[in-house]
Amino acid sequence: MHRSRFLAAGLAAVVAFGTAAVSATSGYAAAAGCRVTYTVGSQWGGGFTANVGITNLGDPLTGWTLRWSFGAGQAVTQAWNATVTQSGAAVTAVNMSYNGGLATNGSVSFGFNGSWNNSSNPVPTSFTLNGVACTGSTTPTTGPTTAAPTTAPPTTPPTTAPTTRPPGTTPPNGTIRVYWLKPTDVAYDQRYPDGIANVMREAQRYYRQELGRTFTLNNPVVEVVNGDHPRSWYENTPNGNECYWWVVFNMQQELMRKLSLRAPDSRWINVGEISAEAACSGGGGGGGWVILSGHDADGAAGIGGTMNRWYGGMVHELGHAFGLPDSTSTDGTPMSASFYSYPNTHFSQAQKNAILSGPYGSFLS
């Protein structure tokens, strides 16, 4: 069963913030192929500022993701020069569009403001860079010995789709931008972009019915994004402290890196769906994002359940993206389990007011 959750800490804001020179109070040697320094520059009652430096000791990188876990309840509240998200104790920092490239022995840094418990603010004990545990030195790799194949490689159908948006073009601000991320081992299937687009159009109709205004969808409605990994990678690579989020956080961060997206993003509301799902996978919305795993993509494509369930689910998650919390009871509104009764569900007047006056109310016309 699909569990919807309102994303707050999981989709942390990226804030441009002036940095100041600070002296290192602590450091940490990091990754197979990298070194990390973690510096607490200043600390005050309830808050602190930290700087994180990464030196790449391995092969050149075109993008980076650094992960660590806090050990004493610390939380990131602002960040600069990286997109930083947090789920429980687990923190993920992803490069910005302008600092993703790291040559061998190249360095990059980012900073953040955080909160702490006024008792203990220990340095994280371990880091990973692009999924590899950090050690502070390079780990040599030796390719396997290969022999000439005894049989011809099998012929397989193409699994990639044509690019759905011309390279270098940018969708208009103030629109809803939708993505289907297709893992490398998932065959292209036109039912997915077509079905997801139909779900979005129905949600667009419903919002106009309820609010007298609605959002604008991009053209094409769904951008097909060819993923960097097989399905199992998205399902089994930890990202956050609960496996419910692994698939959708892995998808979201790849979309952010590839398309220079932010979380939240004042330019667009972003809707991501991926054809990957583990037994524990779910999804949710908040802060201008909707992130959904495989069963929602399947449902939109007409696989598994009646379409009204998927229409209602998208209306519900878009409500979170526009800033609404879950209802506290099954109250007939789509922000409760009443979304399963779609289209026999309606926003309350308070919810309508909150959407229109919220951070993305200007997206509705």
Side-chain angles (χ1 to χ4, degrees):
M1 179 177 175
H2 178 249
R3 289 190 297 165
S4 169
R5 296 188 179 181
F6 179 54
L7 303 185
L11 298 178
V14 179
V15 180
F17 200 83
T19 60
V22 295
S23 60
T25 60
S26 56
Y28 190 80
C34 81
R35 180 170 57 249
V36 171
T37 58
Y38 179 102
T39 303
V40 177
S42 60
Q43 187 168 283
W44 59 94
F48 70 99
T49 295
N51 189 75
V52 182
I54 306 170
T55 301
N56 176 33
L57 304 177
D59 294 334
L61 301 177
T62 58
W64 51 265
T65 298
L66 187 74
R67 294 187 175 94
W68 72 89
S69 291
F70 284 127
Q74 302 100 315
V76 174
T77 57
Q78 293 180 316
W80 51 94
N81 293 333
T83 298
V84 181
T85 58
Q86 184 169 350
S87 179
V91 181
T92 301
V94 180
N95 65 272
M96 305 296 286
S97 60
Y98 53 80
N99 64 0
L102 268 180
T104 302
N105 294 319
S107 297
V108 68
S109 65
F110 63 92
F112 65 88
N113 289 336
S115 62
W116 66 299
N117 60 14
N118 291 324
S119 174
S120 177
N121 188 11
V123 173
T125 58
S126 62
F127 294 85
T128 65
L129 183 68
N130 289 4
V132 178
C134 296
T135 64
S137 61
T138 56
T139 301
T141 58
T142 303
T145 302
T146 59
T150 56
T151 58
T155 300
T156 58
T159 60
T160 59
T163 302
T164 56
R165 179 171 295 281
T169 61
T170 302
N173 286 5
T175 59
I176 289 190
R177 197 171 172 185
V178 187
Y179 320 95
W180 173 46
L181 193 147
K182 185 191 73 58
T184 56
D185 56 351
V186 171
Y188 181 77
D189 188 331
Q190 188 64 40
R191 290 179 299 173
Y192 285 86
D194 287 350
I196 295 169
N198 287 337
V199 168
M200 297 305 303
R201 293 188 185 102
E202 173 59 19
Q204 184 183 48
R205 182 205 65 78
Y206 179 88
Y207 271 73
R208 183 173 296 283
Q209 167 195 297
E210 294 292 302
L211 300 170
R213 307 180 191 179
T214 196
F215 49 83
T216 299
L217 293 166
N218 287 320
N219 182 20
V221 174
V222 178
E223 299 175 56
V224 178
V225 179
N226 293 310
D228 291 339
H229 308 282
R231 183 198 304 254
S232 61
W233 184 91
Y234 299 97
E235 296 169 344
N236 299 317
T237 300
N239 195 336
N241 62 351
E242 187 179 356
C243 65
Y244 181 92
W245 296 114
W246 293 358
V247 166
V248 291
F249 278 180
N250 285 328
M251 168 191 65
Q252 183 196 29
Q253 287 158 15
E254 183 171 330
L255 291 173
M256 292 172 70
R257 174 176 57 81
K258 285 187 168 184
L259 302 174
S260 299
L261 307 177
R262 306 166 190 156
D265 197 322
S266 61
R267 299 164 298 175
W268 310 294
I269 288 176
N270 295 291
V271 178
E273 302 199 23
I274 181 172
S275 289
E277 179 167 359
C280 57
S281 297
W289 275 84
V290 172
I291 47 178
L292 300 171
S293 54
H295 60 276
D296 287 273
D298 288 345
I303 303 167
T306 64
M307 286 307 302
N308 279 351
R309 181 259 178 269
W310 310 111
Y311 295 148
M314 183 56 69
V315 164
H316 175 97
E317 301 300 358
L318 285 172
H320 285 323
F322 277 107
L324 296 182
D326 280 317
S327 298
T328 57
S329 63
T330 303
D331 59 2
T333 76
M335 301 316 297
S336 71
S338 299
F339 83 77
Y340 285 100
S341 300
Y342 186 91
N344 300 315
T345 181
H346 302 281
F347 287 121
S348 69
Q349 188 59 51
Q351 289 170 337
K352 294 176 185 179
N353 294 342
I355 290 173
L356 293 173
S357 64
Y360 294 93
S362 62
F363 282 43
L364 300 166
S365 61

